Amino acid sequence: MPHFIVEYTDNIKEEANLPKLFEEIHKVLIARDTIFPIGGIRSRAIELKEYRVADGAEDDAFVHAVFKIGAGRSDEIKKEVCTALFEVMKEHFSSLMAKRYLALSMELIEFSEAGTYKQNNIHARFKK
């Protein structure tokens, strides 16, 4: 962990440039490698083809991100990291938002390690 998952409406697929968004998100998280192990960082996107926004009268779009982390970080750290991640999202989509109706949102999901199963040999590359 952490995982950054983006759902986005298909009507912005060409302009969304999600690889660039993920690059910037990873920079934020890698800069906090004492909080989040680099080998556990993941990003992915889910394109939505079936959706309705507001009253359905316009070609509205949205991007919703879920930031999933394991439990154990302080409220201050969670707030600081989430604020930094959402700032990246706002900057990344600012030009698109200036041209069309677009809603951005992000939520933090923190879960207990109980019931979570993982195996990862990527972490070994980043041991100091």
Side-chain angles (χ1 to χ4, degrees), residues 11 29 62 115:
N11 57 350
L29 297 172
F62 71 84

Side-chain angles (χ1 to χ4, degrees), residues 2 14 17 22 28-29 38-39 42 47 50-52 57 62 66 73 76 82 105 110-111 115 122 126:
E14 300 305 316
N17 194 1
F22 293 156
V28 168
L29 297 172
I38 296 171
R42 312 274 189 282
E47 180 182 339
E50 304 290 334
Y51 56 88
R52 184 175 175 98
F62 71 84
V66 176
R73 284 125 183 137
E76 293 80 20
C82 286
S105 59
E110 183 179 26
F111 55 90
I122 300 170
F126 300 99

Side-chain angles (χ1 to χ4, degrees), residues 1-120:
M1 287 297 174
H3 290 203
F4 188 80
I5 305 158
V6 172
E7 296 177 332
Y8 69 98
T9 55
D10 65 351
N11 57 350
I12 60 168
K13 181 177 185 171
E14 300 305 316
E15 300 96 347
N17 194 1
L18 295 172
K20 180 65 175 166
L21 172 65
F22 293 156
E23 179 183 338
E24 296 303 316
I25 292 294
H26 281 235
K27 285 179 185 177
V28 168
L29 297 172
I30 288 169
R32 292 156 177 85
D33 65 344
T34 59
I35 301 167
F36 301 109
I38 296 171
I41 300 170
R42 312 274 189 282
S43 292
R44 57 190 173 273
I46 302 166
E47 180 182 339
L48 303 173
K49 295 179 184 289
E50 304 290 334
Y51 56 88
R52 184 175 175 98
V53 181
D55 62 359
E58 296 288 336
D59 188 30
D60 298 328
F62 71 84
V63 177
H64 177 70
V66 176
F67 182 52
K68 297 173 85 170
I69 63 173
R73 284 125 183 137
S74 71
D75 288 342
E76 293 80 20
I77 287 173
K78 290 183 287 190
K79 180 177 172 62
E80 187 272 326
V81 171
C82 286
T83 298
L85 293 174
F86 197 61
E87 286 300 318
V88 167
M89 286 182 65
K90 291 189 311 185
E91 174 62 28
H92 181 80
F93 290 106
S94 63
S95 62
L96 188 56
M97 188 171 269
K99 297 188 302 188
R100 66 170 305 134
Y101 294 112
L102 175 65
L104 300 177
S105 59
M106 188 183 90
E107 68 180 304
L108 171 66
I109 297 177
E110 183 179 26
F111 55 90
S112 165
E113 291 296 317
T116 301
Y117 304 89
K118 297 178 267 192
Q119 182 175 359
N120 179 343

